[in-house]
């Protein structure tokens, strides 16, 4: 925007050309006046002047001119509009220096995708800072710290909240402005105790957003449901009573709400305005920096506007805000704003990960408390804990829902319902038993357990519901087309003693259902089979044939097994009851029915084993989950600061262990006893027997080495002797044909070999004389070591 210096603004202000009540905004010009603020508000960490840029401590010439015009404007504004409150123009920074509010804004673009949108920026600012309330709440603050100082302190007033958020939005190319005005008490004090928790709103929306089944007008109408009018009247009375009770509770809650605020319309607040036009923004809206929530510009939480500014201009609202806020009209600026005195706003990756001051935040809502933690802050991986209460005083807990991240047991969500006494756990993919969902009333196996599994389960199981009286399992993608199994136990399943329960529990009824197998005829493809174990009966129902309304069915009665008193009952055709839809179909022979019964009885045994296996798997899952809860560990991602630090520590630990192991190996190489200590179970502490055995092993090893050394000398002697003999034989065969040169070479060779043989015999003789006693005891007292025979002469010497 082109800038223009307006020289007659003072005359216009004095002459009253600025008409009150007109939709008009005024901007400021500058002059040279030195400024110094009181030093009673300073950051302790910023007292060292050499740690900050000079712009924090000294005003430039342009800033001095701007402050002069701002002071002049403030005086004339107060004279012209004595009923209006002073404007926030030049608050004091952390070094006690006055700075114009527009120059405190520092547009900053970040490289983090989380801060590319206004939602991400607002969420970060609301979470990362904690509120310093204005004191008194009806006055403007005397100081406005830079965003760099605010990020270090992680504490801020609403004006500092808005300054940081507006700087980030301007850097993200939004047309954003800071707004100084008035708001309701709850917004100014960050009081959300009468608002519904946003997580509860999300859950309600997810439930209501489930797609409704569209009714087809051509479908067959269901049969009329026959219900008792008396029961319907009783149910209606019950519903009316519940509605009345709910209405009374609502009235009581409304009566407990706080009274009207005596300071309504006077409480000072600062928020952010985002104008349409940039970044595909279609409509102007407000952002409350304390919560990160967006509002329309006509929302009743905002009661009035005094001024609006960005990094280029400052606007004063001249409209009547007695009925709330309305859109401001923008005029061209007449002064080029000095560059911001604030350094580049640096947000580290660690700041984005920790989010909240100290990595932890506690928020109170209507009948709810929300606890939020940074990843890796809690040893159990907890990141969100939502506690829902039954009453407004938050004394009686209704349910507790927790969210986890990076756990080694892959637990993602856990909800404990205090009313129904049920616990629900949800897991991500990767759990040991492929468990995705688990709902139970207690951790004991005798309670009701509802489980869901991923498609990776070995037998295609996707859901299991187990109670002491029955069990239901659902399957998907099985080769045998089984998709449903229901088991009814004749007595309660007791899992405290798993082996006894598996052997003694009687199954009263087992129902299995199968999908259609197109490779078989419908009247041969089993749709359902029922094993009535207590009645020794098996019912088989087949799939419907085309253009049929009734399926074929067979009932088999198992023959009695042999006992000590009676022999086994023979199979007869009366033991099968068949119903064939097609009357012209040839009935099956007795032999075929007998083979079908045998196959069904084998399947029954397999089903019983599978049921016992399912019960055992439930027990194993519960035991495994109990062990996991006792030894929770977190998976550290190397792409996070905490993960990188953890990886660095692990790498240092691995290097330390490797160095210690290398040092140990080097020491062991020098240790002559190391090969013998390895043979013992415990080489650190030796018993008397171990010490004696170690002594015998060392002595035997030493003797063996002596014998091997003697054998090496003997082998060398024999080798030299054989070579001399071969040369002598060669000479005897060729002496008549040898030349004089060959004669001389032969003589030299014989002399050399004779000398080598003499030296070898001398060495062997001296070695044997030195170690005669050791070699003799080695050869005869230790049969475990084998030695080769020595030369006869050497043997005689020894």
């Amino acid at each position: 925007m082109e800038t223009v210096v307006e020289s007659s603004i003072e005359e216009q202000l004095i002459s009253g050309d600025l008409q009150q009540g007109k939709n008009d905004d005024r901007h400021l010009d500058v002059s040279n006046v030195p400024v110094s603020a009181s030093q009673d508000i300073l950051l302790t960490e910023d007292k060292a002047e050499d740690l900050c840029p000079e712009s924090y401590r000294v005003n430039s010439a342009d800033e001095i001119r701007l402050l002069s015009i701002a002071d002049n404007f403030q005086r004339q504004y107060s004279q012209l509009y004595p009923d209006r409150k002073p404007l926030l123009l030049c608050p004091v920074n952390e070094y006690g220096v006055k700075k114009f509010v527009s120059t405190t804004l520092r547009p900053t673009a970040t490289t983090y995708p989380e801060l590319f949108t206004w939602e991400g920026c607002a969420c970060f600012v609301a979470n990362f800072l904690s509120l310093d309330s204005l004191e008194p709440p009806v006055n403007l603050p005397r100081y406005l710290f830079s965003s760099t100082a605010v990020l270090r302190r992680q504490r801020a007033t609403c004006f500092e909240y808005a300054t940081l958020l507006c700087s980030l939005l301007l850097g993200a190319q939004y047309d954003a402005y800071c707004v100084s005005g008035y708001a309701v008490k709850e917004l100014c004090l960050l009081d959300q105790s009468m608002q519904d928790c946003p997580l509860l709103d999300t859950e309600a929306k997810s439930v209501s957003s489930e797609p409704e089944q569209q009714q087809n007008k051509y479908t067959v109408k269901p049969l009329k449901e026959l219900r008792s009018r008396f029961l319907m009247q009783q149910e209606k009375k019950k519903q009316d009573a519940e509605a009345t009770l709910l209405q009374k509770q609502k009235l009581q809650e409304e009566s407990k709400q706080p009274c009207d605020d005596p300071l309504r319309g006077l409480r000072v607040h600062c928020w952010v305005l985002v104008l349409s036009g940039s970044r595909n923004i279609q409509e102007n809206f407000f952002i409350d920096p304390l919560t990160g929530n967006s509002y329309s510009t006509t929302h009743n939480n905002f009661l009035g506007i005094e001024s609006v500014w960005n990094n280029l201009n400052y606007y004063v609202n001249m409209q009547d805000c007695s009925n709330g806020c309305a859109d401001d009209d923008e005029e061209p600026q007449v002064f080029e704003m000095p560059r911001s005195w604030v350094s580049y706003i640096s947000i580290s990756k660690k700041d984005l990960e920790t989010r909240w001051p100290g990595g932890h935040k506690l928020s109170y809502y209507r009948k709810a408390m929300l606890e939020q933690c940074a990843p890796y802050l809690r040893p159990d991986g907890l990141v969100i804990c939502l506690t829902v209460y039954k009453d407004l005083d938050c004394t009686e807990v209704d349910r507790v829902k927790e969210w986890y991240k990076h756990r080694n047991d892959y637990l993602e969500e856990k909800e404990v319902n205090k009313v129904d006494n049920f616990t629900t756990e949800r897991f991500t993919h990767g759990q040991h038993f492929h468990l995705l969902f688990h709902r139970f009333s207690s951790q004991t196996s005798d309670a009701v357990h509802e489980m869901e599994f991923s498609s990776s389960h070995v037998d295609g199981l996707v859901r299991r519901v187990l109670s002491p009286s029955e069990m239901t399992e659902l399957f998907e993608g099985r080769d045998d087309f089984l998709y449903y199994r229901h088991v009814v136990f004749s007595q309660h399943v007791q899992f405290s003693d798993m082996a006894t329960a598996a052997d003694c529990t009687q199954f009263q009824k087992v129902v299995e259902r199968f999908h259609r197998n197109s490779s078989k005829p419908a009247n041969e493809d089993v749709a359902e089979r029922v094993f009535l174990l207590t009645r020794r009966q098996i019912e088989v129902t087949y799939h419907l044939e085309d253009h049929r309304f009734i399926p074929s069915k067979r009932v088999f009665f198992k023959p009695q097994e042999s006992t000590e008193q009676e022999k086994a009952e023979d199979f007869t055709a009366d033991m099968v009851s068949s119903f064939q839809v097609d009357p012209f179909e040839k009935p099956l022979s007795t032999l075929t029915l007998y083979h079908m019964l045998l196959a069904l009885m084998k399947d029954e045994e397999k089903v019983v084993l599978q049921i016992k296996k399912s019960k055992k798997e439930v027990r194993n899952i519960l035991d495994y989950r109990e062990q996991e809860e006792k030894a929770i560990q977190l998976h550290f991602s190397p792409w996070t600061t905490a993960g990188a630090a953890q990886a660095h520590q692990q790498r240092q630990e691995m290097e330390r262990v490797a160095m210690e192991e290398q040092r140990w190996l080097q020491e062991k190489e020098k240790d002559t006893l190391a090969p013998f200590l390895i043979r013992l179970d415990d080489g650190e502490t030796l018993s008397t027997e171990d010490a004696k055995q170690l002594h015998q092993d060392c002595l035997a090893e030493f003797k063996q080495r002596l014998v091997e050394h003697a054998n090496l000398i003997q082998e060398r002697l024999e080798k030299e002797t054989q070579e001399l003999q071969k040369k002598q034989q060669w000479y005897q065969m060729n002496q008549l044909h040898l030349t004089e040169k060959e004669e001389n070479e032969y003589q030299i060779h014989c002399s050399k070999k004779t000398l080598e043989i003499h030296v070898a015999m001398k060495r062997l003789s001296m070695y044997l004389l030195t170690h005669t006693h050791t070699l003799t005891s080695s050869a005869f007292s230790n049969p475990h070591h084998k030695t080769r025979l020595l030369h006869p002469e050497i043997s005689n010497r020894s």
Side-chain angles (χ1 to χ4, degrees):
M1 182 183 295
E2 184 180 357
T3 59
V4 180
V5 178
E6 186 174 334
S7 59
S8 59
I9 184 171
E10 296 184 7
E11 289 79 6
Q12 294 177 2
L13 288 171
I14 296 174
S15 60
D17 290 343
L18 302 179
Q19 300 178 6
Q20 182 177 4
K22 183 178 180 181
N23 295 343
D24 192 13
D25 299 334
R26 301 303 175 196
H27 13 255
L28 309 174
D29 286 46
V30 292
S31 61
N32 294 322
V33 175
V35 178
S36 177
S38 62
Q39 301 295 319
D40 57 341
I41 304 174
L42 295 176
L43 282 175
T44 56
E45 62 266 28
D46 288 335
K47 287 184 178 180
E49 295 184 355
D50 55 343
L51 298 181
C52 72
E54 186 179 5
S55 60
Y56 283 62
R57 296 174 281 108
V58 179
N59 284 319
S60 65
D62 289 340
E63 287 181 301
I64 293 174
R65 294 178 57 227
L66 180 60
L67 293 175
S68 175
I69 279 294
D71 288 342
N72 190 23
F73 181 87
Q74 185 77 274
R75 290 193 303 270
Q76 298 185 53
Y77 177 81
S78 300
Q79 293 176 2
L80 294 175
Y81 309 106
D83 296 335
R84 298 282 296 270
K85 287 189 175 182
L87 301 173
L88 182 67
L89 295 175
C90 304
V92 176
N93 72 352
E94 58 265 31
Y95 285 92
V97 180
K98 280 188 176 182
K99 296 289 185 178
F100 189 63
V101 289
S102 292
T103 61
T104 307
L105 291 173
R106 178 65 156 87
T108 302
T110 65
T111 59
Y112 302 112
E114 298 93 330
L115 303 180
F116 286 175
T117 63
W118 72 263
E119 294 93 338
C121 294
C123 182
F124 169 75
V125 172
N127 291 334
F128 191 72
L129 304 179
S130 57
L131 178 64
D132 281 337
S133 301
L134 298 177
E135 291 295 338
V138 295
N139 290 347
L140 293 171
R142 293 191 300 129
Y143 56 89
L144 182 65
F145 290 170
S146 65
S147 296
T148 55
V150 167
L151 288 174
R152 286 196 300 270
R153 297 177 65 228
Q154 287 192 265
R155 299 192 62 86
T157 64
C158 58
F159 286 84
E160 293 161 346
Y161 266 86
T163 300
L164 175 59
L165 177 56
C166 190
S167 298
L168 294 177
L169 293 177
L170 289 172
Q173 304 303 316
Y174 286 97
D175 190 7
Y177 299 80
C178 290
V179 182
S180 174
Y182 309 95
V184 297
K185 177 182 178 181
E186 290 74 19
L187 211 63
C188 297
L189 300 181
L190 192 55
D191 183 6
Q192 304 175 89
S193 59
M194 298 310 296
Q195 300 179 14
D196 292 330
C197 180
L199 283 181
L200 293 176
D201 293 342
T202 303
E203 293 179 358
K205 290 179 181 178
S206 63
V207 173
S208 62
S209 61
E210 293 181 356
E212 299 181 357
Q213 295 183 353
Q214 296 182 356
Q215 294 184 354
N216 190 346
K217 63 180 181 180
Y218 297 107
T219 56
V220 179
K221 293 183 179 180
L223 296 176
K224 185 177 181 180
E225 185 178 2
L226 301 178
R227 298 183 61 185
S228 170
R229 292 183 180 178
F230 175 76
L231 294 178
M232 293 174 64
Q233 291 176 358
Q234 295 296 323
E235 185 177 353
K236 187 175 184 304
K237 288 181 180 179
K238 183 180 178 180
Q239 294 177 354
D240 294 342
E242 292 177 353
T244 303
L245 180 61
L246 187 63
Q247 185 67 20
K248 288 182 179 180
Q249 292 178 352
K250 188 175 181 180
L251 292 175
Q252 291 176 359
E253 292 174 0
E254 291 178 353
S255 63
K256 293 181 180 181
Q257 292 184 1
C259 301
D260 293 338
D261 182 17
L263 298 179
R264 179 178 175 83
L266 301 177
R267 294 183 180 272
V268 175
H269 190 54
C270 187
W271 61 95
V272 174
L273 166 67
V274 179
L275 296 182
S276 60
S278 60
R279 293 291 302 271
N280 296 325
I281 300 298
Q282 303 297 327
E283 187 177 358
N284 303 342
F285 63 92
F286 290 149
I287 302 177
D288 178 29
L290 306 187
T291 60
N293 298 330
S294 62
Y295 300 87
S296 68
T297 55
T298 58
H299 199 278
N300 54 11
N301 280 348
F302 305 95
L303 306 178
I305 295 177
E306 287 287 353
S307 59
V308 177
W309 66 91
N310 63 0
N311 62 319
L312 301 176
N313 215 335
Y314 188 99
Y315 305 94
V316 179
N317 181 31
M318 304 305 298
Q319 300 182 80
D320 183 11
C321 293
S322 58
N323 294 324
C325 299
D327 294 340
D328 299 326
D329 297 330
E330 184 177 345
E331 288 191 1
Q333 64 186 79
V334 295
F335 177 75
E336 183 176 0
M337 192 69 65
R339 62 170 298 179
S340 176
W341 57 273
V342 181
S343 300
Y344 182 82
I345 301 174
S346 177
I347 299 175
S348 65
K349 189 174 181 63
K350 184 178 180 181
D351 293 339
L352 287 176
E353 294 173 1
T354 56
R355 286 284 180 174
W356 304 280
H360 177 268
K361 182 180 181 181
L362 197 63
S363 304
Y364 294 92
Y365 296 91
R366 184 177 179 273
K367 293 185 179 182
M369 179 181 68
L370 181 63
E371 181 183 6
Q372 296 170 292
C373 303
Y376 306 111
L377 179 68
R378 296 277 294 266
D380 58 352
L382 179 70
V383 292
I384 299 177
C385 178
L386 174 63
T387 306
V388 182
Y389 299 90
K390 294 182 180 179
D391 56 339
L392 285 176
D393 296 332
C394 298
T395 58
E396 189 175 357
V397 178
D398 179 78
R399 66 184 185 274
V400 178
K401 190 170 183 179
E402 299 171 335
W403 284 263
Y404 298 89
K405 281 186 177 181
H406 312 299
R407 284 174 57 123
N408 62 335
D409 60 355
Y410 297 93
L411 180 64
E412 188 176 33
E413 295 181 12
K414 182 177 181 180
E415 182 175 353
V416 180
N417 193 313
K418 300 293 185 178
V419 178
D420 299 333
N421 195 26
F422 264 92
T423 301
T424 303
E425 295 178 337
R426 299 182 186 274
F427 302 85
T428 57
H429 289 273
Q431 207 270 347
H432 182 70
F433 290 93
H434 309 287
L435 189 64
L436 295 179
F437 175 87
H438 184 201
R439 176 176 290 157
F440 54 91
S441 56
S442 67
Q443 284 286 3
T444 61
S445 302
D446 299 330
V448 178
H449 292 272
E450 182 180 349
M451 300 179 178
E452 294 181 3
F453 302 86
S454 67
S455 57
S456 303
H457 200 278
V458 64
D459 57 355
L461 179 67
V462 294
R463 180 178 173 84
R464 175 187 292 141
V465 180
L466 176 63
S467 69
S469 59
E470 60 182 359
M471 180 178 69
T472 303
E473 293 179 320
L474 301 180
F475 304 88
E476 286 183 359
R478 286 176 62 109
D479 295 335
D480 58 359
F481 297 93
L482 175 67
Y483 71 90
Y484 175 86
R485 178 186 291 147
H486 180 70
V487 185
V488 179
F489 304 114
S490 58
Q491 62 182 12
H492 288 346
V493 184
Q494 300 294 332
F495 287 90
S496 56
D497 187 358
M498 188 62 206
T500 305
D503 295 335
C504 299
T505 300
Q506 297 296 323
F507 307 116
Q508 180 179 352
K509 180 181 179 181
V510 179
V511 180
E512 290 187 333
R513 293 172 184 164
F514 301 83
H515 287 299
R516 180 74 171 90
N517 185 359
S518 58
S519 63
K520 296 181 179 179
N523 60 350
E524 297 179 6
D525 187 15
V526 177
E528 180 183 86
R529 60 185 183 186
V530 181
F531 300 99
L532 302 173
L533 288 87
T534 56
R535 295 165 56 182
R536 300 184 58 80
Q537 181 177 331
I538 302 176
E539 299 177 357
V540 180
T541 304
Y542 298 91
H543 281 280
L544 282 171
E545 298 182 26
D546 294 338
H547 312 296
R548 300 286 185 179
F549 298 97
I550 303 176
S552 300
K553 187 174 182 180
R554 287 189 178 90
V555 180
F556 295 85
F557 299 91
K558 295 190 293 185
Q560 294 294 332
E561 299 178 353
S562 62
T563 61
E564 294 180 357
Q565 293 80 13
E566 299 179 359
K567 66 176 183 179
E569 185 180 5
D570 295 332
F571 178 79
T572 61
D574 297 337
M575 294 182 178
V576 181
S577 174
S578 301
F579 171 76
Q580 294 182 353
V581 179
D582 189 358
F584 301 102
E585 184 178 356
K586 183 179 179 180
L588 299 178
S589 63
T590 304
L591 181 60
T592 303
L593 294 175
Y594 175 68
H595 289 307
M596 292 179 63
L597 177 60
L598 291 179
L600 288 172
M601 292 175 64
K602 290 182 179 179
D603 291 341
E604 182 182 81
E605 294 177 358
K606 294 179 181 179
V607 169
V608 171
L609 291 177
Q610 291 173 358
I611 294 172
K612 293 178 180 179
K613 183 180 178 182
S614 297
K615 291 159 52 181
K616 185 177 180 181
E617 185 182 40
V618 173
R619 176 71 267 173
N620 293 339
I621 290 176
L622 298 181
D623 292 342
Y624 192 80
R625 286 290 301 128
E626 184 178 358
Q627 296 298 324
E628 284 182 326
E629 289 292 340
K630 293 180 180 179
I632 297 175
Q633 294 182 353
L634 302 181
H635 295 302
F636 285 87
S637 172
W639 307 112
T640 61
T641 55
Q646 180 73 7
H648 181 67
Q649 293 178 0
Q650 292 179 353
R651 184 168 59 253
Q652 288 182 334
E653 181 66 18
M654 292 173 61
E655 292 175 354
R656 185 188 64 80
V657 172
M659 291 178 62
E660 291 182 356
E661 184 177 355
Q662 185 67 22
R663 190 182 306 111
W664 180 84
L665 291 175
Q666 293 175 356
E667 293 177 355
K668 290 299 180 182
E669 289 178 357
K670 302 176 182 178
D671 188 3
T672 57
L673 294 179
F676 304 99
L677 293 173
I678 294 177
R679 304 173 187 174
L680 302 176
D681 296 334
D682 187 4
E684 299 296 332
T685 57
L686 298 177
S687 62
T688 304
E689 292 75 10
D690 292 338
K692 290 180 179 180
Q693 183 63 36
L694 183 64
H695 173 262
Q696 293 294 334
D697 293 344
C698 291
L699 186 59
E701 183 73 17
F702 176 67
K703 292 176 181 179
Q704 180 66 18
R705 289 183 179 180
L706 292 179
V707 172
E708 291 176 355
H709 194 189
N711 289 337
L712 288 174
I713 299 175
Q714 172 69 19
E715 290 176 358
R716 180 66 180 270
L717 177 60
E718 292 176 354
K719 180 181 178 182
E720 298 295 339
T721 304
Q722 290 176 2
E723 290 180 356
L724 179 59
Q725 291 176 354
K726 288 181 180 180
K727 195 67 175 178
Q728 289 175 348
Q729 292 175 0
W730 174 83
Y731 179 76
Q732 293 295 335
M733 296 174 60
N734 301 291
Q735 61 179 345
L736 299 177
H737 307 287
L738 296 177
T739 62
E740 184 178 358
K741 181 180 180 182
E742 292 175 341
E743 285 279 351
N744 294 334
E745 291 177 354
Y746 169 73
Q747 294 296 332
I748 294 173
H749 179 77
C750 289
S751 300
K752 181 180 179 182
K753 287 297 180 181
T754 303
L755 179 61
E756 291 177 354
I757 292 172
H758 177 73
V759 172
M761 292 180 65
K762 190 69 175 178
R763 289 181 59 192
L764 183 58
S765 177
M766 295 177 61
Y767 187 82
L768 292 174
L769 288 175
T770 306
H771 303 289
T772 299
H773 177 71
T774 304
L775 291 172
T776 304
S777 61
S778 172
F780 295 100
S781 65
N782 192 352
H784 297 287
H785 296 280
K786 297 181 181 180
T787 59
R788 64 188 300 275
L789 294 177
L790 300 176
H791 192 273
E793 182 181 355
I794 299 174
S795 300
N796 294 333
R797 289 177 179 274
S798 63

